Amino acid sequence: MNKLITRFERAFMSKSCLSSVGLGVVTRWVALCACALASSAVLAQVPQSGSVSKPVKKASQSRAELKTQANQMAAGARAAEEALSPAELSIAERVEVGRISCEMGQSVTIAVDPKLPGYFDISVKKFRFRMVPVVSSTGAIRLEDNIAGAVWLQLANKSMLMSQKLGIRLADACMTPAQATFAAAMEKSPPPSLLDSPLAVDLSSSTQAQATHVSTVQ
């Protein structure tokens, strides 16, 4: 383009051209050529639409990778859980599982962990607990979630779910068919009171004998 303008300048600046077209025409032609040159330079700097480089996005993790990470975390959590003792496993064998109806229209669901013997997943409403058996001096079947502060207590006639952290019972009077049968039998034939036990009778007789001896001495 520069060479073309130079040629036109030489041609129009010659005496013959100046005499025929005049200096004004030459000036206009040079200005038009300069504008054309400037436009070409601007267009050369603007990239074409097809060649505009787009920002490179980071490749997001695939679902398979996310699933693998989740499985590894779950495996790590399971490995952190300790194996139970024979006494605790013996208690776990007597835990009633399934969906258990409770009072006030509630229900508690107890599921066994097939991969980790003795561990149970218990749910009621929005609460979820991970529980293990705990040896109790009373002989009652007791499951605890130490992290959430929850206790599942299973008796012969009913069960209950308590939150020690909140200080309330989350579910009460929960009964399986076997527990309901036992509760009905208890109503027909109530168990003997502690006051009617042989030990209580012996203590009562001993107290009466001591009182009689004191009165005789006096």
Side-chain angles (χ1 to χ4, degrees), residues 78 81 89 92 97 110-121 130-131:
R78 293 182 185 278
E81 295 177 335
L89 292 175
V97 297
I110 303 178
V112 179
D113 187 340
K115 297 182 180 179
L116 202 57
Y119 283 79
F120 297 88
D121 295 315
R130 178 78 167 171
M131 294 194 172

Side-chain angles (χ1 to χ4, degrees), residues 11-207:
F12 282 103
M13 291 300 292
S14 63
K15 292 182 179 181
S16 59
C17 290
L18 288 174
S19 60
S20 59
V21 296
L23 183 59
V25 176
V26 174
T27 305
R28 292 177 185 176
W29 182 258
V30 172
L32 289 174
C33 292
C35 291
L37 179 61
S39 300
S40 300
V42 172
L43 291 176
Q45 294 177 359
V46 178
Q48 297 181 0
S49 59
S51 62
V52 175
S53 59
K54 297 181 180 179
V56 179
K57 295 183 178 180
K58 264 191 174 181
S60 58
Q61 288 182 319
S62 63
R63 292 184 178 179
E65 291 176 347
L66 294 175
K67 187 175 181 180
T68 302
Q69 291 181 359
N71 291 336
Q72 290 176 351
M73 292 176 64
R78 293 182 185 278
E81 295 177 335
E82 298 179 357
L84 302 181
S85 66
E88 292 169 336
L89 292 175
S90 177
I91 296 173
E93 293 176 355
R94 295 182 287 144
V95 175
E96 299 280 357
V97 297
R99 186 175 180 272
I100 303 175
S101 300
C102 309
E103 67 176 4
M104 306 296 293
Q106 295 185 359
S107 63
V108 175
T109 302
I110 303 178
V112 179
D113 187 340
K115 297 182 180 179
L116 202 57
Y119 283 79
F120 297 88
D121 295 315
I122 298 181
S123 60
V124 56
K125 291 184 178 179
K126 61 179 180 180
F127 297 97
R128 301 291 182 273
F129 303 108
R130 178 78 167 171
M131 294 194 172
V132 292
V134 175
V135 178
S136 173
S137 59
T138 61
I141 297 175
R142 183 185 180 96
L143 305 177
E144 291 187 3
D145 184 338
N146 292 326
I147 298 176
V151 176
W152 173 257
L153 190 61
Q154 177 183 313
L155 306 176
N157 59 328
K158 67 175 183 178
S159 300
M160 64 193 74
L161 180 62
M162 298 172 289
S163 174
Q164 295 177 329
K165 184 177 292 186
L166 299 177
I168 59 174
R169 291 187 181 184
L170 301 176
D172 198 2
C174 305
M175 295 185 185
T176 63
Q179 288 175 313
T181 301
F182 192 91
M186 286 180 61
E187 291 181 358
K188 293 181 180 179
S189 302
S193 173
L194 292 176
L195 297 177
D196 298 332
S197 64
L199 179 59
V201 173
D202 292 341
L203 290 175
S204 177
S205 301
S206 176
T207 303

